[in-house]
């Protein structure tokens, strides 16, 4: 009698585990479907905001300015006429748009959202403000494009699909860096061209930790503030990019989650080396 009761309990427990396993499988499948749906919907919307001609700025092998010849007379360059913004539609459709970022030759080609009142608003929302697991690229609350802060910090999800900043970790490979050194940022008024300075792993630390925190650097008002940021990112870099910077330079910092430590981050820092087109007012 006791044996039959134990056998019955064992069978019941086995069936219970089987039901739990089936439910977990179905839940995982449903979640995967949602991720795919969000990925496709987000891509379709973002693609619709891009210029019809697949606009992309063609950049030279290196964007670092050439050293002028001290013996030659400087030739004044004509001031270029402002043109219509290639991503005008993004700014018109969503007032939270702070700019558009491209890394030529990669999938990173997205609008950047800025909501100072709620930095995480687009963490799990798409450009259309609807729920979306991919979220959007987010400009840090303490960064600003007008007036321009010394450092623009942009956060993005490390998506397995490669969306958002899911491909950023490819910069661990110096060969990948050599093929994708340049970053282009289209702000509302001008195109800004950047060249990558440093690539490193870090983390979000406790408030009391007395360590370098890349995510706390927004403005360099003194040489000391610049040196603290610059010397640390160069020392932490996984390899020497050969690109240098000096006090007065502007930067863009791309950050995504990694799991080498708790609250890990993978970071790519680039400095502004030139400007491209200037743009007509968006409303025009």
């Amino acid at each position: 009698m006791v044996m039959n009761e134990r056998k019955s309990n064992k069978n019941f427990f086995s069936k219970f585990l089987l039901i739990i396993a089936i439910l977990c499988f179905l839940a995982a499948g449903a979640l995967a479907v949602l991720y795919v749906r969000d990925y496709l919907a987000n891509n379709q919307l973002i693609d619709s905001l891009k210029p019809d001609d697949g606009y992309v700025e063609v950049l030279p092998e290196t964007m670092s300015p050439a050293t002028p010849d001290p013996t030659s007379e400087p030739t004044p360059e004509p001031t270029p006429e402002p043109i219509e913004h290639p991503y005008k539609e993004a700014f018109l459709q969503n007032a939270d748009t702070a700019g558009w970022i491209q890394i030529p030759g990669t999938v990173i080609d997205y609008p950047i959202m800025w909501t100072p009142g709620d930095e995480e608003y687009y963490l799990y929302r798409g450009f259309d403000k609807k729920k979306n697991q991919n979220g959007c690229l987010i400009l840090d609350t303490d960064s600003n494009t007008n007036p321009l802060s010394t450092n623009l910090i942009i956060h993005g999800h490390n998506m397995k699909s490669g969306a958002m900043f899911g491909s950023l970790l490819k910069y661990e490979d110096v060969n990948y860096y050599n093929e994708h050194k340049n970053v282009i940022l289209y702000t509302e008024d001008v195109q800004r061209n950047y060249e990558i300075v440093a690539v490193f792993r870090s983390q979000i630390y406790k408030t009391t930790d007395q360590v370098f925190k890349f995510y706390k650097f927004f403005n360099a008002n003194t040489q000391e503030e610049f040196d603290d940021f610059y010397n640390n990112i160069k020392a932490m870099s996984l390899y020497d990019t050969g690109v240098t910077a000096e006090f007065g330079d502007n930067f863009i910092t791309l950050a995504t989650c990694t799991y080498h430590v708790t609250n890990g981050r993978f970071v790519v820092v680039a400095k502004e080396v030139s400007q491209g087109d200037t743009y007509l007012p968006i409303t025009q």
Side-chain angles (χ1 to χ4, degrees):
M1 187 74 167
V2 174
M3 289 183 64
N4 288 338
E5 186 176 341
R6 288 178 178 174
K7 186 175 182 180
S8 176
N9 289 340
K10 184 176 180 181
N11 289 337
F12 173 79
F13 186 66
S14 298
K15 290 178 181 178
F16 178 75
L17 289 179
L18 179 60
I19 291 171
I20 293 296
I22 292 172
L23 290 175
C24 289
F25 177 77
L26 292 174
L31 187 61
V33 169
L34 290 176
Y35 270 103
V36 171
R37 183 201 64 185
D38 288 351
Y39 174 75
L40 294 175
N42 208 44
N43 272 14
Q44 186 175 14
L45 174 59
I46 289 172
D47 285 344
S48 72
L49 299 170
K50 297 176 183 177
D52 293 336
D53 59 357
Y55 179 92
V56 61
E57 182 72 8
V58 178
L59 299 169
E61 186 174 342
T62 176
M63 294 190 295
S64 299
T67 304
D69 182 355
T71 62
S72 63
E73 288 293 327
T75 304
E77 295 186 7
T79 303
E81 291 291 326
I83 65 170
E84 185 173 285
H85 203 296
Y87 297 97
K88 179 178 179 179
E89 279 304 309
F91 288 93
L92 290 176
Q93 288 191 32
N94 192 327
D96 295 332
T97 304
W100 194 287
I101 188 172
Q102 275 185 3
I103 300 183
T106 77
V107 299
I108 296 176
D109 189 6
Y110 297 110
I112 303 164
M113 315 312 291
W114 189 53
T115 49
D118 180 6
E119 185 175 86
E120 296 187 353
Y121 182 82
Y122 286 97
L123 193 63
Y124 293 109
R125 284 186 174 93
F127 182 84
D128 57 5
K129 301 185 180 182
K130 296 178 181 178
K131 288 184 178 181
N132 192 302
Q133 293 299 315
N134 288 275
C136 287
L137 299 186
I138 300 170
L139 181 64
D140 196 287
T141 296
D142 294 315
S143 291
N144 204 332
T145 59
N146 188 20
L148 185 70
S149 50
T150 304
N151 187 31
L152 301 174
I153 300 180
I154 300 172
H155 308 278
H157 286 308
N158 179 5
M159 302 301 292
K160 289 182 179 180
S161 65
M164 298 299 126
F165 280 165
S167 64
L168 206 62
L169 271 72
K170 291 182 179 181
Y171 278 102
E172 287 185 309
D173 182 353
V174 68
N175 294 319
Y176 185 84
Y177 156 76
N178 285 326
E179 296 174 359
H180 307 93
K181 296 180 179 182
N182 303 323
V183 181
I184 309 173
L185 178 66
Y186 302 90
T187 59
E188 189 169 341
D189 58 342
V190 68
Q191 173 189 321
R192 299 181 181 277
N193 301 320
Y194 297 80
E195 193 168 7
I196 294 173
V197 176
V199 172
F200 57 90
R201 286 181 177 269
S202 187
Q203 67 186 93
I204 303 301
Y205 292 96
K206 295 179 182 177
T207 306
T208 54
D209 289 341
Q210 300 300 308
V211 294
F212 170 67
K213 301 172 182 177
F214 76 90
Y215 49 89
K216 292 294 186 180
F217 175 73
F218 298 98
N219 284 293
N221 297 313
T222 65
Q223 181 73 51
E224 289 72 24
E225 289 175 332
F226 168 82
D227 288 343
D228 180 62
F229 172 73
Y230 180 66
N231 292 337
N232 274 290
I233 65 170
K234 292 298 278 186
M236 294 168 66
S237 189
L238 299 177
Y239 43 80
D240 182 9
T241 63
V243 180
T244 58
E246 59 186 24
F247 179 56
D249 284 336
N250 294 317
F251 299 88
I252 189 170
T253 297
L254 316 181
T256 193
C257 292
T258 53
Y259 307 101
H260 61 290
V261 293
T262 302
N263 294 322
R265 294 294 185 272
F266 188 78
V267 187
V268 173
V269 181
K271 76 163 186 175
E272 185 176 345
V273 293
S274 68
Q275 292 186 6
D277 295 322
T278 56
Y279 302 122
L280 295 167
I282 293 297
T283 54
Q284 193 166 314

